[in-house]
Amino acid sequence: MIILSKKILIIEDEQEIAELIKDYLTVEGYCVEIAYDGLTGLNKVKSFIPDLLILDIMLPKLSGLDICKEIRKSDECLPIIIVSAKHGDIDTVLGLGLGADDYLAKPFSPSVLVARVKALLRRCLVSSEESTNTTLVFGELSIDTAGYNVLINGQEVDLPTKEFELLKFLALNPKQVFSRDQLYEQIWGYDSLGEATTVTVHIKRLRQKIEKNPAEPKFIRTVWGVGYKFEA
């Protein structure tokens, strides 16, 4: 089973910093690549096709601001976090003015950067959901993502908010496997009080409500030792 994970590209010429960031993000389940100069980084954006870019400003061969400007000519959606040792407001203004989504001044805590990455990817997911059709149909199962309504064979199913959000997230990412920790973080948030076993309880309740045979689920499948996926 191949598990799809978000791809993050780090363009940073300080190898120690780049490797440290990569280690933190890899532990969180992201697929991470590094480029140590601007020109290589810009080429990697085109070949690696990241879901998020962490971009230093001061780079050899091509500056981070030039990279940001070049990317925005053809891609307005790629999330970009700029990092810089310069603390002046001018870098922030320039960076965000050229289309960056967030900014961190060095030195920064890797855990803070990871939190920013998660928050930005969540915002992008919500934006993506809002641009899609509001009704998802899978055979007898119908999910109205805007109206928070679920129908089974035309009959409305009453779902609490978190159960609905969990079902919607899985349905919007069919065949992709998510661990309990990933689902908990996505639905409840990394700073919420609780634990990943909450996901197991909500999955069980969802199956009882939407599956014809909860013991042999058709929609929400268990991938043993890994997590759960939605079968479209």
Side-chain angles (χ1 to χ4, degrees):
M1 175 62 62
I2 298 175
I3 304 173
L4 301 177
S5 59
K6 294 294 184 182
K7 298 190 294 184
I8 297 177
L9 175 61
I10 302 167
I11 307 179
E12 166 65 68
D13 62 329
E14 296 186 56
Q15 184 172 350
E16 186 175 343
I17 293 176
E19 292 290 348
L20 180 63
I21 296 172
K22 179 179 180 179
D23 289 343
Y24 270 77
L25 292 172
T26 300
V27 167
E28 295 293 331
Y30 298 110
C31 175
V32 185
E33 287 198 8
I34 300 173
Y36 296 107
D37 68 75
L39 191 56
T40 301
L42 186 57
N43 289 331
K44 271 187 174 288
V45 170
K46 300 172 184 177
S47 60
F48 182 54
I49 313 178
D51 296 294
L52 183 142
L53 176 62
I54 298 173
L55 180 62
D56 189 17
I57 288 181
M58 300 298 293
L59 292 166
K61 299 184 181 180
L62 193 65
S63 77
L65 296 180
D66 287 335
I67 292 173
C68 190
K69 184 177 181 179
E70 187 64 27
I71 289 173
R72 286 297 181 246
K73 289 179 180 178
S74 58
D75 189 340
E76 297 180 357
C77 299
L78 175 64
I80 299 175
I81 299 177
I82 281 185
V83 296
S84 175
K86 291 187 176 182
H87 293 261
D89 289 341
I90 186 63
D91 281 330
T92 305
V93 172
L94 284 174
L96 299 181
L98 287 173
D101 300 279
D102 204 349
Y103 179 95
L104 275 177
K106 296 178 181 178
F108 53 82
S109 166
S111 60
V112 170
L113 177 59
V114 170
R116 298 282 189 93
V117 167
K118 293 177 179 178
L120 187 50
L121 287 174
R122 272 201 299 271
R123 291 202 302 269
C124 291
L125 176 65
V126 171
S127 176
S128 175
E129 290 175 2
E130 290 175 347
S131 67
T132 61
N133 293 332
T134 59
T135 301
L136 306 173
V137 179
F138 307 95
E140 67 270 26
L141 173 63
S142 177
I143 305 169
D144 179 358
T145 61
Y148 271 58
N149 294 318
V150 174
L151 302 177
I152 293 290
N153 292 319
Q155 299 296 313
E156 186 170 353
V157 179
D158 184 26
L159 296 181
T161 300
K162 291 302 182 185
E163 287 181 22
F164 180 87
E165 290 178 351
L166 181 58
L167 175 61
K168 180 176 74 169
F169 176 74
L170 288 169
L172 285 168
N173 297 274
K175 298 187 181 296
Q176 184 168 340
V177 184
F178 296 95
S179 68
R180 292 191 309 172
D181 287 337
Q182 288 173 321
L183 291 172
Y184 184 82
E185 176 189 307
Q186 182 66 47
I187 305 304
W188 284 266
Y190 71 93
D191 54 354
S192 297
L193 297 176
E195 54 186 36
T197 52
T198 301
V199 174
T200 306
V201 174
H202 280 69
I203 291 290
K204 181 178 180 180
R205 291 174 180 169
L206 274 175
R207 285 172 171 166
Q208 290 171 343
K209 295 174 181 179
I210 70 170
E211 301 282 3
K212 185 175 182 180
N213 182 1
E216 296 181 5
K218 172 183 177 181
F219 297 111
I220 303 177
R221 306 290 294 274
T222 298
V223 180
W224 296 107
V226 182
Y228 303 97
K229 68 175 180 176
F230 187 89
E231 283 289 351

